[in-house]
Amino acid sequence: MTTAAATAGRRTAKAKPATMAQALGRALRDSMAEDPAVHVLGEDVGTLGGVFRITDGLAKEFGDERCTDTPLAEAGILGAAVGMAMYGLRPVVEMQFDAFAYPAFEQLASHVAKMRNRTGGAMPLPITVRIPYGGGIGGVEHHSDSSEAYYMATPGLHVVTPATVEDAYGLLRASIASDDPVVFLEPKRLYWSKADWSPQHPTAVEPIGRAVVRRPGRSATLITYGPSLPVCMEAAQAAVEEGWDLEVVDLRSLVPFDDETVTASVRRTGRAVVVHESTGFGGPGGEIAARITERCFHHLEAPVLRVAGFDIPYPPPMQERHHLPGVDRVLDAVARLQWEADN
Amino acid sequence: MTVQELPGAAAYRPTPPPAWKPLTDPAPLLPDPEPYRVLGTDAVADADPGLLLRLYAELVRGRRYNAQATALTKQGRLAVYPSSTGQEACEIAAALVLEERDWLFPSYRDTLAAVARGLDPVEALTLLRGDRHTGYDPRAHRIAPLCTPLATQLPHAVGLAHAARLKGDDVVALAMVGDGGTSEGDFHEALNFAAVWQAPVVFLVQNNGFAISVPLAKQTAAPSLAHKAVGYGMPGRLVDGNDAAAVHQVLSEAVERARSGGGPTLVEAVTYRMDAHTNADDATRYRGDSEVDLWRDHDPVLLLERELTGRGLLDDAGKEEARGAAEAMAAQLRERMNADPVLDPMALFTHVYEEQTAQLREQAVRLREELDAENDQHGTDGGAER
Ligand SMILES: Cc1ncc(C[n+]2csc(CCOP(=O)(O)OP(=O)(O)O)c2C)c(N)n1
């Protein structure tokens, strides 16, 4: 995996407020400028710049052969990307919304994920599949799915999801530079989150597969990613008043999974809550809780808990606030860890 | 009553919005109503005798290859073999019309096309043998992995051809699919992409009458599968899939059109699957002997043999020579397939990702321990067992 591309960048004095959407667009632009093999394709990515404007300006700068408006067919888009990658290109595919990536799942599971393996390493596919995912933006049906468990359950794919503006840039650069296929899940409700950031301001990005401790703490660990990170940060802040010192781990990468960081944190704190908005049953949290239990059993003061979305199809927008795990649900779970204040 | 005859239908003409104009004129795209033939017609006069003899030798060898591979399933040397007996003309023509720089995108039934393109027969069988998924380097041979999910290789062919053209290479991709596969969404998406992008692709549908047990009539209501091309804006061509000279000619023209920037073509080759779907299938449940017998008279090897002998291009000695070469190939294949492949269980973990994840490293250690324990017990070499 090339990390040089992800960490490259010239230092300038001043960082300006930027959104995650801008950082993603900048990552695409810089990747395309650096490597003529990088091609962007998808629905409305050209003239319109994508429905979220992530690809804004790319067609103008690089031409419509490098940033291509395709026919409206997700399997066709990803299938064509497979062939393009077979011929030495590095396609970056945009799926318009989470649930509209499902027609392409066959291509993803049967070909994208397996080509390296099927060919005994002779034919890796450097494809990045960008998928806006998750709720919280008041989208109608099929516009708010958390589909990460499907991709996690498919060996051969990397599955990453940024939660900060810096990571959006760095992880996308690393994904495009990776010779393995990456499902790049973009938490759409964080698209407009801001940070003082400019791509000239170097952000050191670790290789795909490293979690990061966003907030150190001693009493319990909140393990989360993507759209639920701000929720957990807020919960940790609120918990301080009650004398709780919560550590927050941002996974960033669901596959590969950073057992090391997670295990070290939970061994330190002795308690863990996994937080995500995807469903609980069969969701990522079950896997994560099992891994923690296997590795930290003797360090645990309480069972590993999960705070997840309900096991229901994603609800209509006027009801989604009931489904999405918020700060209170996280704090309730922390309370259920049978907190015994030692500080 | 057709749509045309409905009262008011003739008078009604939709007025397209001003910005809309059709890209393509449908008339030259339409396939002929009858499959195109060369053998036994006047058209054969233009056929190159050297090419016909080459096709004959390859057909005889291909027929023998199918028989040998099927026999290997009975001996347990192959997990399964989908025979292309009866379809050799399509398989061989697909391989022979391509230049070295071109790409072939075969389905699971097209082992023979891969072999005719020059792939080592044993490497071509690794998938069906069950030791590895793809036994060759696709880039080295410009043959995509034999594809098991139906029609999913078609958009790959489009993407590859498109990428080649973007890079300025005059590379053509030829993708093969069965009649059943034309019902899949990926077939539609691939053809549409190819036409919109004017990608240098040739789609070859081998209409062998059946998708496992389901006859074509239950697969489509179209006048022919070649007709489907018109809706996408590409030429559709219907050809007798048992007439090697005709398939070769039609595919050559399509490849030429693609190479010179003329865009994709859909070719439907009408043929027949003489054997069952695979060695595991019982064809008597869905078709009778009389139907199969009708096709025996229209066998691709027979058709070509008749033509060549009739024109004095092939005598008994020539036939014997072709058969001898085929027999030698079969003997070699038998011998090589009878050797146990050397398997490395640890390779299960080596090609999942470029770098093994921590989780895979742990699992590899566990398997290594299991194998070592087995070795201690049985004294066998766990690292190279069958
Ligand atoms: C997506 C998918 N669905 C189902 C199957 C199972 N299957 C294997 S072969 C076959 C029939 C295919 O028929 P056709 O496309 O006509 O090709 P042929 O076998 O006749 O060459 C089916 C249903 C499959 N391989 N892929």
Side-chain angles (χ1 to χ4, degrees):
Chain A
M1 189 168 10
T2 319
T3 48
T7 50
R10 275 149 283 118
R11 187 180 289 275
T12 57
K14 204 132 173 71
K16 292 184 303 243
T19 63
M20 180 182 280
Q22 286 168 330
L24 291 167
R26 186 62 199 231
L28 289 171
R29 194 209 151 270
D30 289 356
S31 298
M32 291 176 85
E34 225 164 66
D35 183 353
V38 177
H39 282 241
V40 168
L41 61 159
E43 294 157 11
D44 305 293
V45 298
T47 311
L48 183 68
V51 292
F52 291 107
R53 305 291 183 273
I54 308 295
T55 58
D56 196 18
L58 296 180
K60 208 165 194 180
E61 184 170 352
F62 298 102
D64 57 9
E65 287 189 341
R66 297 270 317 270
C67 179
T68 306
D69 279 330
T70 63
L72 219 166
E74 291 75 14
I77 296 168
L78 191 52
V82 170
M84 290 165 76
M86 287 171 88
Y87 206 79
L89 300 184
R90 305 186 86 84
V92 183
V93 163
E94 176 172 306
M95 294 289 163
Q96 207 155 64
F97 280 93
D98 29 58
F100 306 139
Y102 300 149
F105 194 78
E106 144 89 300
Q107 284 291 341
L108 193 75
S110 294
H111 295 294
V112 176
K114 290 180 180 167
M115 192 65 89
R116 175 188 287 281
N117 188 258
R118 291 165 78 202
T119 61
M123 188 167 265
L125 293 181
I127 298 176
T128 304
V129 187
R130 296 180 35 244
I131 310 178
Y133 83 119
I137 62 158
V140 294
E141 218 189 352
H142 309 299
H143 289 73
S144 300
D145 282 20
S146 297
S147 36
E148 57 267 36
Y150 304 135
Y151 306 120
M152 288 172 72
T154 307
L157 302 176
H158 289 308
V159 184
V160 306
T161 175
T164 68
V165 174
E166 287 87 349
D167 274 2
Y169 179 82
L171 282 175
L172 187 50
R173 295 295 309 271
S175 300
I176 296 170
S178 168
D179 276 342
D180 282 319
V182 181
V183 174
F184 190 89
L185 297 169
E186 301 177 358
K188 58 175 105 65
R189 78 168 127 137
L190 299 185
Y191 270 152
W192 303 280
S193 63
K194 280 191 182 169
D196 284 345
W197 174 87
S198 96
Q200 275 75 33
H201 190 75
T203 28
V205 165
E206 302 200 51
I208 289 173
R210 297 276 170 78
V212 63
V213 176
R214 292 283 178 208
R215 182 191 192 284
R218 285 175 298 139
S219 325
T221 305
L222 302 180
I223 294 142
T224 190
Y225 56 85
S228 294
L229 177 67
V231 175
C232 288
M233 293 301 278
E234 207 184 318
Q237 196 54 45
V240 171
E241 286 167 28
E242 313 197 16
W244 301 347
D245 182 21
L246 299 178
E247 179 147 311
V248 180
V249 172
D250 173 6
L251 292 172
R252 302 200 281 203
S253 165
L254 298 170
V255 183
F257 188 83
D258 186 354
D259 283 306
E260 211 180 306
T261 302
V262 171
T263 304
S265 172
V266 177
R267 286 187 178 178
R268 251 192 329 268
T269 62
R271 293 175 171 88
V273 182
V274 187
V275 183
H276 60 61
E277 60 182 63
S278 175
T279 52
F281 187 85
E287 173 63 29
I288 296 167
R291 305 189 78 80
I292 293 172
T293 308
E294 285 169 356
R295 283 164 181 73
C296 310
F297 185 71
H298 293 294
H299 301 264
L300 286 173
E301 314 269 346
V304 182
L305 298 181
R306 284 170 292 168
V307 176
F310 295 131
D311 298 329
I312 55 174
Y314 196 86
M318 293 173 83
Q319 301 262 42
E320 67 179 343
R321 68 189 178 85
H322 302 303
H323 171 72
L324 294 172
V327 171
D328 289 346
R329 258 180 225 164
V330 177
L331 292 177
D332 280 354
V334 171
R336 275 192 289 137
L337 291 173
Q338 296 173 334
W339 179 258
E340 289 160 24
D342 61 346
N343 54 341
Chain B
M1 189 158 52
T2 69
V3 176
Q4 295 285 308
E5 291 158 350
L6 284 174
Y12 174 71
R13 286 279 174 278
T15 316
W20 186 85
K21 66 178 170 49
L23 268 175
T24 38
D25 174 3
L29 305 183
L30 273 168
D32 290 333
E34 279 295 308
Y36 178 70
R37 296 201 166 96
V38 168
L39 301 179
T41 73
D42 293 345
V44 80
D46 298 332
D48 168 15
L51 173 69
L52 294 182
L53 283 167
R54 166 107 200 267
L55 286 170
Y56 178 73
E58 292 286 350
L59 248 60
V60 171
R61 197 157 42 179
R63 171 67 47 94
R64 187 66 189 87
Y65 184 94
N66 276 324
Q68 186 57 63
T70 303
L72 285 165
T73 62
K74 300 200 176 95
Q75 297 151 23
R77 283 295 177 183
L78 278 181
V80 66
Y81 185 71
S83 163
S84 57
T85 294
Q87 305 178 217
E88 289 93 344
C90 306
E91 299 280 316
I92 303 299
L96 295 196
V97 295
L98 296 179
E99 303 282 340
E100 207 175 309
R101 62 188 179 285
D102 296 333
W103 274 74
L104 181 73
F105 285 77
S107 85
Y108 54 85
R109 195 177 296 287
D110 305 317
T111 321
L112 196 54
V115 172
R117 182 157 167 74
L119 189 64
D120 180 323
V122 173
E123 288 185 2
L125 287 173
T126 49
L127 171 80
L128 301 163
R129 183 189 217 180
D131 60 347
R132 276 172 57 186
H133 292 314
T134 302
Y136 54 91
D137 178 348
R139 255 193 212 110
H141 299 277
R142 273 144 331 261
I143 302 172
L146 298 174
C147 189
T148 307
L150 294 168
T152 53
Q153 77 278 22
L154 306 183
H156 304 172
V158 176
L160 181 134
H162 176 65
R165 208 170 53 143
L166 291 180
K167 286 191 172 185
D169 302 340
D170 66 342
V171 164
V172 173
L174 190 155
M176 305 173 75
V177 66
D179 43 299
T182 65
S183 300
E184 290 280 359
D186 277 30
F187 172 84
H188 159 68
E189 298 192 19
L191 264 70
N192 192 48
F193 264 69
V196 170
W197 283 355
Q198 285 292 287
V201 192
V202 177
F203 300 99
L204 172 60
V205 179
Q206 291 182 76
N207 171 6
N208 65 7
F210 292 92
I212 306 188
S213 66
V214 180
L216 186 68
K218 289 190 184 173
Q219 203 65 247
T220 182
S224 78
L225 297 173
H227 275 80
K228 295 191 176 217
V230 183
Y232 300 105
M234 72 173 79
R237 294 288 175 259
L238 190 59
V239 63
D240 181 340
N242 287 15
D243 179 336
V247 184
H248 190 277
Q249 189 185 325
V250 169
L251 286 181
S252 297
E253 281 167 13
V255 165
E256 192 36 50
R257 175 165 39 248
R259 203 183 303 287
S260 60
T265 304
L266 173 66
V267 177
E268 174 188 357
V270 183
T271 181
Y272 195 78
R273 196 191 73 208
M274 297 304 286
D275 290 339
H277 171 65
T278 69
N279 53 298
D281 167 45
D282 174 13
T284 62
R285 292 180 76 111
Y286 52 82
R287 70 185 189 190
D289 287 346
S290 55
E291 179 181 316
V292 184
D293 286 341
L294 277 180
W295 280 89
R296 269 186 224 293
D297 237 20
H298 197 67
D299 179 275
V301 184
L302 198 66
L303 289 184
L304 192 50
E305 205 169 81
R306 270 192 211 136
E307 183 77 47
L308 288 169
T309 45
R311 293 172 70 196
L313 290 167
L314 185 72
D315 56 13
D316 285 348
K319 284 188 214 168
E320 211 35 62
E321 194 186 323
R323 274 191 218 120
E327 215 42 65
M329 177 277 303
Q332 234 201 12
L333 180 61
R334 241 183 352 255
E335 189 186 326
R336 292 180 62 203
M337 289 294 289
N338 277 328
D340 288 340
V342 178
L343 304 183
D344 175 11
M346 302 317 290
L348 292 174
F349 300 101
T350 34
H351 300 300
V352 184
Y353 299 100
E354 186 180 21
E355 254 180 70
Q356 266 176 27
T357 61
Q359 290 79 21
L360 286 179
R361 278 197 300 274
E362 275 174 28
Q363 290 164 30
V365 167
R366 179 139 131 238
L367 180 61
R368 182 76 265 166
E369 286 167 2
E370 283 175 16
L371 293 170
D372 289 346
E374 255 175 52
N375 286 352
D376 288 348
Q377 255 184 336
H378 307 295
T380 56
D381 178 8
E385 62 195 9
R386 221 191 100 70

